Amino acid sequence: MDGKEGNKCDPKFPAFPFKPYSIQVDFMNALYQFLNQGGVSMLESPTGTGKTMSVICSALQWVLDRRRQEASAEAGRESGNNQGTDGGLGFNDEPDWLRSFEVDKDNQNKEGKTKSTKKDKFESLLGKPYEKKKKEISKDFQVKGFEDSTTENGCKNLYKKIDAVDINDNEFLPEEYESEDEEAPGSLALKRKAARNVPTSSSEDGSDEDEEGKKLKIYFCSRTHSQLSQFIKELRKTVFANEMDVVCLGSRKNLCINEDVLKLGSSTRVNERCLELQKKKKNEVAKIKNLGAGARVRRTKASSGCPMLGKQRLQREFRNEASQQGALDIEDLANLGRHLGTCPYYGSRSLASRADLVVLPYQSLLSKSSREAIGLSLTSNIVIIDEAHNLTDSLISMYDSRVTLLQLEDVHFHVERYLARFRNLLGPGNRRYIQTLIVITRAFLQVLLNEKDAGLTDSYQNIEKASEENRASDFTMTINDFIFELNIDNINLVKLVKYIKESNIMHKVSSYGEKLASLERSTAIHKNGEYCEEGSTQSAFQALTDILLSLTNDDSDGRIIISRSRTSSKKQGGYIKYVMLSGEKIFSEIVDQAHAVLLVGGTLQPIEETRERLFPWLPPNQLQFFSCGHIVPPESVMPIAVSRGPSGRFFDFSYRARSSSDMMQELGLLLCNLVNVVPEGIVVFFSSFDYEGKVYEIWESSGILKRIVKRKCVFREPRNNTDVESVLKEYKETIHMSSSSNSKENPASQSGAILLAVVGGKISEGINLSDGMGRCIVMVGLPYPSPSDIELLERIKHIEGFRNSNFTETFGLSANCDVYGGDVQGVFDILRSCSHRGKEYYENLCMKAVNQSIGRAIRHINDYAAILLVDTRYASDSSKRSFSHPVNKLPQWIKGRLISSTSNYGEVHRLLHQFFKFNKRVCEENI
């Protein structure tokens, strides 16, 4: 059955654990149809409508149906081959994309009796068992560099002593290096080293694993590990959890069970330490090989690798247990690893090639390097991206890079000291590349310090002499302009980055620096006596490497931002940052490889913003979009555009008017009225933390806050995300306690609470404000992104396809850069000069944030809430606006119920009173 024929029939979804709502059936049918068609699709289903379960039951049912077709096609091909034909009659009737799928070999690479039983059950779902190929596979999981063998050959340069205290400095010397296109003896040595470190397999070849990797897979990714755990929780409610191979991949930070590594805290340092332990193990194995079979080497704990990866038998046991227990989330995998005493991070990765469903975070799927490291193949497979409203920013941020002034100082200092110690011992290849690194770090430091002759080789005294007049503005440059301005255009950055990666020079330099630091009884100390407070030298080295890699991108892909800002504590805050302007080239690689890419979310409107930044090359008629309604009845949601306050003043929270004390007090009067008519919880969203702070101060000084507190407690979203949970808990408990204790005898008593939140903060992005926590959502104004955001402006200019020629440069560089001094009016002038595309993009960002915030309410079928859009622009005539009307970009389930015009606040108050009275009665009747 080809794709068109499949669209005509109505697929059934027997795995759905209960009777689905009609909108869920519509959603599953649309998803199934989009999978048949392939390409890029967007599916929007409001939170609370069972979106995750609908995705699971539709997508996995599609896989079962495709495999049923594959099994039938395989049987037809084998029947044709028995008759002497080449492929059978039915083969040519299949669509091209289906022919590219390999027939699933279910009984290959199975480890244990339980795995076989699971496959038998899975085959029964297909209606006809696959052809069984009785072939036993014994393949041990190996991490690169963990070979467990020795060689007879010795080595000319043996270490005299290997222990933790007395290390010969030769340990810090890299092997001689030459590029592959430079004919030199050193290049041969590097190739021999690379060949020696290739991991081997216990089987004769990797063909069996390749066959497993070719079977049809679904990759499901979301932004956070908690969202992935929620997906696994929903999956367990279906038959698919036990009948299909499922693996959940996570980060080292979430899956590492080595307590010594976890103590390091940050994800970056955990990653570094994990890789460092592997390299030490690899180097130690190489030394044992070179010493010969009869030699004995005393290895220290520091150089013995990670103890959680020492026994391959435990890794096999981990895979068996994980397969037996079915769908496990990140926490389950970590607990299993602790129980067995083996690494769950690498154990779960080894299961990915044979899984039917791979559940993983954004980074692991969207980053090409991460996909290659794990061994994920998207070819002809299905990619489902949940919470896709965050996709564009998440994708682009993965390819951003940033190196600070302190990090550059740290790298420059250590590389210079390293070269001074080993200059006469290094071969010409290593010496040339290390000198190139010094040239580049010096050039980067000079551009940040604005010192053409900083004398950085010998001292850092000029750092404190940077003039005050050069500290005000940031500026941007294209990649080519930046390279030419720094006079490093004669350096082959591709070769330099390759050298850093292959020679392991950053580890050599960092290790040598750590040794000296320990001898000096200090850590990473500079010649000026200051400490590097931004992480290890290796982290600083990696930041520099990331910037160098960014400079190898196409000139039009991104911009270099140079900031010379300084802090009052006299510690330098300058940085160089590469900003990816568009994710279209990165995302196109995923689209080109996969059979279908599905973007799923509760709020995807306006979809033009996503299309513009991810796949502008895709014609609108080829972008498949589906949006379903909400499961709640119309009378459970009441959105109102509020244009006037209680005193009759028009609400205008535009940039030029929102700072008026009268406007902020009018907003306070609105809240004073709302606390008397809205039960339980009210959440008020402001455009920024700074503006929320100003409003709070005005309310406090004018006495408005006291009037509000008489009826409801007031909570404020903290800037620190780690404190959000405690504030939300107290907010929820206050609402619950006041609701249960408030009596009719004392109607004037305090009832419920108000939460002052910020658009773009943690509460607006992923917090469930169901039931009493969000009976009323108040959106204050239109939260347009900050016009002084230099990265935003560069993206707008990129979309417009122009660079403003009126900017001039006055900071020591040429006129090839754009300077930003925080001139908001100048930014508005640029926006006004934009065509429809730039303005549309700017407004789409705003409305995307609005939709995310107001979508925090209404989380299930029995929930109800009022949504107040407080600004005259929500109710104004679209013909009088320079941008498109914001109401047109609201989700359909809100836009279709919006009360867009009210004569005064009294009418708003009356509507709210009737709304809550009706829904309270309905709730009481349902109890």
Side-chain angles (χ1 to χ4, degrees), residues 613-683:
R613 296 177 69 184
L614 287 185
F615 32 88
W617 39 265
L618 188 68
N621 60 352
Q622 291 186 22
L623 173 61
Q624 303 164 108
F625 179 74
F626 172 83
S627 180
C628 68
H630 213 300
I631 56 176
V632 299
E635 56 270 18
S636 296
V637 183
M638 189 175 69
I640 307 175
V642 182
S643 55
R644 290 175 180 266
S647 66
R649 183 185 299 274
F650 279 102
F651 282 123
D652 180 7
F653 291 99
S654 61
Y655 188 83
R656 66 179 182 277
R658 66 183 182 184
S659 297
S660 164
S661 60
D662 291 340
M663 191 60 57
M664 291 186 274
Q665 289 187 49
E666 189 72 17
L667 178 64
L669 294 178
L670 172 65
L671 266 295
C672 289
N673 281 272
L674 292 181
V675 296
N676 292 313
V677 68
V678 177
E680 301 175 293
I682 301 174
V683 183

Side-chain angles (χ1 to χ4, degrees), residues 723-734:
D723 299 329
V724 171
E725 286 297 328
S726 60
V727 172
L728 282 174
K729 182 180 179 181
E730 189 176 355
Y731 170 71
K732 183 177 181 178
E733 290 175 349
T734 301

Side-chain angles (χ1 to χ4, degrees), residues 791-821:
E791 296 181 26
L792 170 65
L793 189 57
E794 284 299 325
R795 289 198 175 100
I796 292 175
K797 291 165 65 178
H798 174 76
I799 290 173
E800 280 292 319
F802 73 87
R803 300 185 71 234
N804 196 297
S805 60
N806 294 327
F807 285 126
T808 57
E809 188 279 323
T810 56
F811 293 91
L813 297 177
S814 76
N816 292 326
C817 55
D818 294 342
V819 181
Y820 301 88

Side-chain angles (χ1 to χ4, degrees), residues 283-348:
N283 293 338
E284 196 61 34
V285 169
K287 294 169 191 174
I288 295 175
K289 286 183 178 181
N290 293 332
L291 286 173
R296 286 180 173 269
V297 177
R298 179 164 61 92
R299 292 189 292 175
T300 65
K301 182 178 180 181
S303 64
S304 61
C306 180
M308 301 304 167
L309 275 171
K311 297 180 180 179
Q312 297 175 14
R313 174 183 59 80
L314 293 178
Q315 281 287 302
R316 292 197 298 271
E317 188 175 348
F318 178 91
R319 294 198 299 274
N320 288 336
E321 286 290 328
S323 299
Q324 179 179 346
Q325 296 181 30
L328 302 179
D329 62 16
I330 299 296
E331 186 176 349
D332 296 329
L333 291 169
N335 290 335
L336 178 60
R338 291 189 186 95
H339 174 70
L340 296 176
T342 190
C343 177
Y345 173 75
Y346 283 105
S348 58

Side-chain angles (χ1 to χ4, degrees), residues 107-111 135 137 139 208-209 212 354:
N107 293 297
Q108 290 186 5
N109 292 325
K110 302 309 174 200
E111 300 172 282
K135 186 175 180 182
I137 304 296
K139 186 181 289 294
D208 299 311
E209 185 174 350
E212 281 289 336
R354 59 197 65 173

